[in-house]
Amino acid sequence: MAERKMKVSAAKYISFTSYRQDGSAASTPVWVVPFRGGYAFTSDDTSFKVKRVAKNPRARIAPSTFRGAVADGAEVLEGTAELLRGDDFLAVEKLIKRKYWLGWYLAMSRHSSSPVLRRNRPQAQWRFW
């Protein structure tokens, strides 16, 4: 039986890899949605991945488990990440909420009193292409 290659476009989670100043890779799993010819995800604006991408926009994504494990033979895309603002920010947030509605609700309600993530804390939206 032929093995099916995992595609980013069909992924529930992706492993997002950004690069530290010394060039070493740092990966983390994120929710993903297709957006304007690329892919987009959200992140707390104080996260290390946001800081890394601000210094070096080079990135890599691949379908993964919710813990970030990438399967052998999975599609891997190299590209550039950019911070989204304004209407694009709101559009991505709406897409993420639609695709991950239960998870979004649980994450926001669970962390609403946490100093790490609050509902009113700014979120970063990233576009990868």
Side-chain angles (χ1 to χ4, degrees):
M1 179 185 282
E3 186 176 321
R4 292 176 53 197
K5 186 174 185 177
M6 289 180 62
K7 297 276 191 185
V8 171
S9 59
K12 186 171 183 179
Y13 301 95
I14 60 166
S15 174
F16 176 77
T17 303
S18 55
Y19 298 91
R20 297 181 181 102
Q21 287 182 334
D22 67 3
S24 61
S27 299
T28 187
V30 294
W31 290 336
V32 63
V33 292
F35 186 71
R36 297 196 179 169
Y39 299 95
F41 66 91
T42 61
S43 179
D44 188 300
D45 69 344
T46 60
S47 71
F48 285 112
K49 67 181 152 288
V50 171
K51 294 173 185 178
R52 285 190 298 267
V53 171
K55 293 176 183 174
N56 180 1
R58 184 173 69 104
R60 181 177 64 218
I61 60 174
S64 72
T65 65
F66 74 99
R67 293 188 184 228
V70 177
D72 291 337
E75 176 182 41
V76 177
L77 301 176
E78 301 274 345
T80 303
E82 71 172 329
L83 182 62
L84 299 175
R85 302 246 187 239
D87 291 340
D88 287 341
F89 176 93
L90 297 173
V92 170
E93 184 175 56
K94 185 176 180 179
L95 291 169
I96 291 282
K97 284 180 182 179
R98 185 180 306 145
K99 182 174 179 181
Y100 300 99
W101 63 275
L102 181 58
W104 179 272
Y105 173 77
L106 293 173
M108 293 297 109
S109 64
R110 181 174 153 215
H111 296 293
S112 63
S113 62
S114 167
V116 177
L117 178 64
R118 293 192 178 102
R119 285 184 188 189
N120 60 357
R121 174 172 250 170
Q123 296 287 306
Q125 312 285 357
W126 293 95
R127 177 175 165 235
F128 175 86
W129 82 99

